[in-house]
C-alpha cells in the first residue's frame, strides 16, 4: 500500500507541480490534506489505472488515474472526498475515474456521511469516447440518489466545462475560487462560432459571473487556501445525513442576553431602508452567521446560524436592496435554501419585511408567477420547525409566501412596527377611494387606512399572528420555541413526489 501510494504521488513531475503552484493552485492531494483534519485522510484506490489503449493511452497508466478519493474528518466529523488532479491527463473524466467516484458516493450514502468534490478537470477523456460519457451519467445518477440523503458540496478549483458542470449543479452547494475556476456548458470559442459573441472565460463562467449574475455558485473565495478553510467552517453547520440531526456545539451565549438594540433598528419612516443583518445578528448566537449566496439576489438573505449551539437556517427579506421585494432570482434562491433545510431537518427562521412582488414586464415575461410559486411551494411543503418574525412590511401575496401561519408556520410573531395588509396604504386608498376629489381628503383616508390596517392588530385578532412582541424579546422567544419544537412531528400526504413548479 505504501509503495503504491508513493508511486501515485510521484506520477506528477516536480516541473508539473511547480507549474501548478505558479498558477496559484494546489495539487489534488494538497487540497485534500488541507481540507481534512491533520493526518485523518485515508486514500482509496490509489493503485487503480485506466484500461484504455486507444490513441497511445496504452503507454501511460498513472496510478490513481488523476483522481484522489478517500475518507477523512472535519473537526472530528467524517467526510467522503474526491479531488481531481489536473496534472494527470488534465484531470479528465475516464471510466475508471467514474468508478472510483461512484464507489465512495455509494458508500457515503450507505453510512450516511456527506460528500465533498474538489473539481479541477479538463472535461471528458476524449480518447475513451462513450465510456467517458457513461461515466458522467453514472455520477449524475449518484448525485440525484444522494440528494436529500447526505449533503453534497462541490468546490470548483479549475475548469469545469461541458457535461462536467451538471454534477456540481446537482449537488446542494457549489463554491468557486476567483480567477482560477470556470464553469460553462460551452466555452468562449464555441460561443463565438455559434453566436458571434466575443467573451472571455472569466466573463462567461468565472467565479464572479456565477456568484453575482447566474446564482450557480453559492460563494466565491480569493484563493484555494481560503476556500478550503472557509469550507471547513461551512461543513460544521451541516448534519451528516437526513436522520442524524443538526450538530450541537458548546456555547456561552445566553438566551436572556440584552437585545435592546433591536428596539431601535426599524427606521421611523416606513420607506426608509435598513440592513436586515442588523436584526439577524443580535438574535442568533454571536459570531455564528454564515451567509450563503451573499452577492446574488441581494434583496433576500439566506444563511446558516446557531441558536444555543444548534444549526438553524435563516431566510430574510433585505430592505437595503430593492426594498426587500420578491422577484424571480430571490424567490428561486430562497426556495432552494428552504428545501435543503427541510430535507435535512434544520429549523427555519424567517424575518419578513416585504412590500410584495416586483412588478414589470421583465418579471412577468420571465415567469415570476412560476418562480414565485417555487418559494411558496417550498415553505408549504416544509415540515421542520418554522418560526417567522415580521419586522415591518408584509404586503399582499408576499405575506402569505414568507412562512405565514396559513402555510403551517409554527410560531408567527410581529413587532409593533409590523404592517400586515393587502397593499400599502396610499395604493389601497387610491383604489378604494378613487372618487375622492381633493388631496387633503385622500390623505385623511390614507391615515385612516394606516391606523386600521397597517398594524399587526387585525392579524393578531384573527390568530394569524401568535403574539406582537417587543423586538428585544425575539432571541429569547425563538430559543424557547426551538426547544419546544425540537421533537415536532408533521407529515405530508403520501405521494411519490410533488410537482414543484420548476
Amino acid at each position: 500500500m505504501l509503495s503504491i501510494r508513493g508511486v501515485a504521488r510521484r506520477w506528477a513531475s516536480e516541473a508539473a507541480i511547480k507549474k501548478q503552484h505558479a498558477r496559484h493552485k494546489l495539487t489534488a492531494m494538497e487540497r485534500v490534506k488541507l481540507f481534512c483534519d491533520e493526518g485523518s485522510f485515508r486514500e482509496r484506490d490509489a493503485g487503480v489505472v485506466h484500461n484504455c489503449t486507444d490513441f497511445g493511452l496504452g503507454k501511460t497508466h498513472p496510478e490513481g488515474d488523476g483522481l484522489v478519493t478517500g475518507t477523512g474528518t472535519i473537526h472530528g466529523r467524517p467526510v467522503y472526498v474526491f479531488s481531481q488532479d489536473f496534472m494527470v491527463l488534465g484531470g479528465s473524466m475516464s471510466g475508471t475515474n467514474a468508478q472510483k467516484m461512484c464507489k465512495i458516493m455509494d458508500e457515503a450514502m450507505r453510512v450516511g456521511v456527506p460528500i465533498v468534490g474538489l473539481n479541477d478537470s479538463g472535461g471528458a477523456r476524449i480518447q475513451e469516447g462513450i465510456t467517458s460519457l457513461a461515466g458522467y451519467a453514472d455520477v449524475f445518477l449518484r448525485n440525484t440518489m444522494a440528494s436529500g440523503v447526505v449533503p453534497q458540496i462541490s468546490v470548483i478549483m479549475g475548469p469545469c466545462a461541458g457535461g462536467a458542470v451538471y454534477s456540481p449543479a446537482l449537488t446542494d452547494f457549489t463554491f468557486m475560487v476567483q480567477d482560477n475556476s470556470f464553469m460553462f456548458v460551452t466555452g468562449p470559442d464555441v460561443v463565438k462560432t455559434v453566436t458571434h459573441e466575443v467573451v472571455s472565460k472569466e466573463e462567461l463562467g468565472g467565479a464572479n459571473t456565477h456568484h453575482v449574475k447566474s446564482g450557480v455558485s453559492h460563494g466565491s473565495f480569493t484563493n484555494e487556501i481560503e476556500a478550503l478553510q472557509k469550507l471547513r467552517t461551512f461543513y460544521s453547520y451541516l448534519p451528516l445525513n437526513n436522520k442524524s440531526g443538526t450538530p450541537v456545539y458548546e456555547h456561552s451565549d445566553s438566551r436572556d442576553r440584552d437585545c435592546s438594540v433591536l428596539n431601535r433598528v426599524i427606521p421611523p419612516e416606513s420607506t426608509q431602508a435598513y440592513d436586515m443583518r442588523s436584526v439577524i445578528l443580535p438574535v442568533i448566537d454571536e459570531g455564528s452567521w454564515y451567509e450563503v449566496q451573499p452577492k446574488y439576489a441581494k434583496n433576500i438573505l439566506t444563511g446558516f446560524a446557531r441558536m444555543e449551539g444548534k444549526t438553524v437556517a435563516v431566510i430574510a427579506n433585505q430592505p437595503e436592496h430593492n426594498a426587500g421585494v420578491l422577484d424571480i432570482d430571490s424567490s428561486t434562491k430562497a426556495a432552494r435554501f428552504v428545501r435543503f433545510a427541510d430535507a435535512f431537518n434544520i429549523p427555519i427562521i424567517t424575518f419578513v419585511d416585504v412590500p410584495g412582488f416586483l412588478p414589470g414586464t421583465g418579471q412577468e415575461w420571465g415567469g415570476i408567477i412560476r418562480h414565485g410559486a417555487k418559494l411558496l411551494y417550498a415553505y408549504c411543503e416544509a415540515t421542520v420547525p418554522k418560526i417567522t418574525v415580521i419586522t415591518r412590511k408584509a404586503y399582499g401575496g408576499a405575506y402569505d409566501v414568507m412562512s405565514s401561519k396559513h402555510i403551517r408556520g409554527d410560531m408567527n410573531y410581529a413587532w409593533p412596527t409590523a404592517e400586515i395588509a393587502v397593499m400599502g396604504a396610499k395604493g389601497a386608498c387610491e383604489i378604494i377611494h378613487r372618487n375622492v376629489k381633493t388631496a387633503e381628503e385622500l390623505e385623511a383616508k390614507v391615515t385612516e387606512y394606516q391606523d386600521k390596517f397597517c398594524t399587526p392588530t387585525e392579524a393578531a385578532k384573527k390568530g394569524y399572528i401568535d403574539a406582537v412582541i417587543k423586538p428585544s424579546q425575539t432571541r429569547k422567544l425563538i430559543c424557547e420555541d426551538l426547544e419546544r419544537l425540537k421533537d415536532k412531528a408533521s407529515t405530508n400526504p403520501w405521494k411519490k413526489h410533488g410537482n414543484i413548479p420548476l
Side-chain angles (χ1 to χ4, degrees):
M1 178 66 183
L2 288 174
S3 61
I4 291 175
R5 184 186 295 269
V7 171
R9 299 287 69 78
R10 287 198 300 268
W11 178 261
S13 67
E14 288 299 322
I17 294 173
K18 286 182 179 179
K19 189 175 181 181
Q20 181 84 340
H21 288 167
R23 298 191 189 108
H24 305 289
K25 296 172 68 174
L26 301 171
T27 67
M29 183 58 78
E30 286 171 341
R31 290 165 177 162
V32 168
K33 289 187 174 180
L34 187 60
F35 175 55
C36 295
D37 294 339
E38 186 174 355
S40 71
F41 181 69
R42 294 177 57 187
E43 189 174 359
R44 299 280 187 88
D45 295 328
V48 167
V49 297
H50 70 77
N51 53 17
C52 180
T53 58
D54 295 323
F55 304 102
L57 279 188
K59 299 176 182 178
T60 57
H61 290 86
E63 284 83 358
D65 198 30
L67 183 71
V68 176
T69 63
T71 59
T73 60
I74 309 294
H75 303 301
R77 303 169 69 227
V79 65
Y80 280 76
V81 187
F82 68 81
S83 181
Q84 294 173 321
D85 192 343
F86 193 80
M87 297 185 300
V88 178
L89 299 173
S92 56
M93 174 67 86
S94 66
T96 302
N97 271 187
Q99 290 171 9
K100 289 179 64 174
M101 210 175 286
C102 291
K103 183 176 179 179
I104 66 161
M105 293 175 80
D106 288 340
E107 185 174 314
M109 281 187 279
R110 286 197 300 272
V111 301
V113 172
I115 304 161
V116 176
L118 308 179
N119 296 263
D120 188 2
S121 169
R125 191 168 296 173
I126 298 172
Q127 297 92 329
E128 292 199 12
I130 191 66
T131 300
S132 177
L133 298 181
Y136 274 127
D138 290 339
V139 173
F140 300 159
L141 177 63
R142 267 68 176 191
N143 288 137
T144 305
M145 293 299 101
S147 180
V149 179
V150 294
Q152 300 178 82
I153 304 170
S154 298
V155 189
I156 313 302
M157 298 181 136
C160 184
V165 300
Y166 290 111
S167 178
L170 288 168
T171 62
D172 298 302
F173 299 98
T174 300
F175 298 98
M176 299 182 73
V177 178
Q178 294 170 18
D179 301 324
N180 276 335
S181 63
F182 310 97
M183 293 180 75
F184 32 67
V185 176
T186 54
D189 292 340
V190 176
V191 170
K192 183 178 180 181
T193 300
V194 176
T195 70
H196 308 295
E197 295 174 279
V198 178
V199 63
S200 69
K201 288 193 296 184
E202 182 65 37
E203 291 173 312
L204 182 63
N208 191 60
T209 294
H210 288 310
H211 190 185
V212 177
K213 295 180 180 179
S214 73
V216 168
S217 170
H218 293 83
S220 65
F221 307 102
T222 55
N223 58 62
E224 293 191 6
I225 293 174
E226 182 195 25
L228 295 167
Q229 289 175 341
K230 291 285 181 67
L231 186 61
R232 284 174 56 84
T233 301
F234 180 76
Y235 192 83
S236 70
Y237 290 89
L238 306 181
L240 294 179
N241 56 66
N242 59 3
K243 296 179 181 179
S244 66
T246 57
V248 181
Y249 289 85
E250 291 185 11
H251 71 98
S252 57
D253 197 358
S254 170
R255 66 174 63 176
D256 296 311
R257 68 164 154 81
D258 180 22
C259 294
S260 58
V261 66
L262 292 172
N263 295 332
R264 302 182 294 275
V265 166
I266 305 301
E269 294 294 327
S270 65
T271 55
Q272 188 176 341
Y274 65 97
D275 187 351
M276 186 60 89
R277 295 182 190 88
S278 62
V279 173
I280 296 170
L281 296 181
V283 171
I284 63 176
D285 290 355
E286 292 181 355
S288 70
W289 177 240
Y290 195 109
E291 192 166 344
V292 177
Q293 291 187 300
K295 294 184 180 180
Y296 177 70
K298 290 183 178 181
N299 42 326
I300 202 160
L301 302 174
T302 55
F304 292 112
R306 294 191 178 95
M307 296 292 285
E308 297 190 307
K310 304 179 186 70
T311 300
V312 294
V314 177
I315 296 95
N317 305 113
Q318 173 56 300
E320 196 173 53
H321 291 276
N322 250 2
V325 70
L326 286 175
D327 58 9
I328 290 171
D329 290 343
S330 61
S331 296
T332 303
K333 170 183 172 179
R336 184 163 174 80
F337 195 68
V338 168
R339 284 174 66 80
F340 176 84
D342 186 52
F344 290 99
N345 301 305
I346 301 172
I348 298 170
I349 301 173
T350 305
F351 294 95
V352 181
D353 187 346
V354 59
F357 284 90
L358 182 64
T361 56
Q363 289 291 304
E364 295 295 349
W365 297 346
I368 183 59
I369 296 171
R370 174 166 46 89
H371 294 294
K374 292 177 183 176
L375 181 55
L376 175 59
Y377 189 105
Y379 269 124
C380 286
E381 183 184 48
T383 59
V384 294
K386 293 183 288 188
I387 301 169
T388 303
V389 180
I390 301 174
T391 62
R392 193 167 62 178
K393 296 174 184 174
Y395 288 169
Y399 154 72
D400 287 329
V401 169
M402 292 300 294
S403 196
S404 65
K405 178 64 71 177
H406 320 285
I407 57 174
R408 299 196 295 184
D410 292 296
M411 294 302 299
N412 293 73
Y413 298 113
W415 287 3
T417 48
E419 303 173 16
I420 306 170
V422 174
M423 61 193 304
K426 189 173 184 296
C429 289
E430 286 174 349
I431 295 172
I432 298 170
H433 305 290
R434 63 172 62 89
N435 296 324
V436 169
K437 296 179 180 179
T438 68
E440 290 76 13
E441 285 182 283
L442 182 61
E443 187 62 33
K445 295 295 184 183
V446 169
T447 301
E448 181 184 345
Y449 185 94
Q450 284 177 324
D451 292 342
K452 183 171 184 180
F453 295 108
C454 293
T455 72
T457 306
E458 287 298 311
K461 286 180 180 178
K462 293 177 169 59
Y464 303 155
I465 294 296
D466 293 298
V468 179
I469 64 172
K470 292 180 180 178
S472 56
Q473 295 178 297
T474 306
R475 173 175 168 81
K476 181 177 181 179
L477 291 174
I478 291 177
C479 286
E480 291 174 352
D481 293 337
L482 290 171
E483 184 176 12
R484 187 182 67 258
L485 294 167
K486 67 180 185 296
D487 296 320
K488 170 189 172 183
S490 180
T491 58
N492 294 324
W494 185 92
K495 62 182 84 172
K496 185 175 182 181
H497 60 74
N499 189 16
I500 186 170
L502 296 173

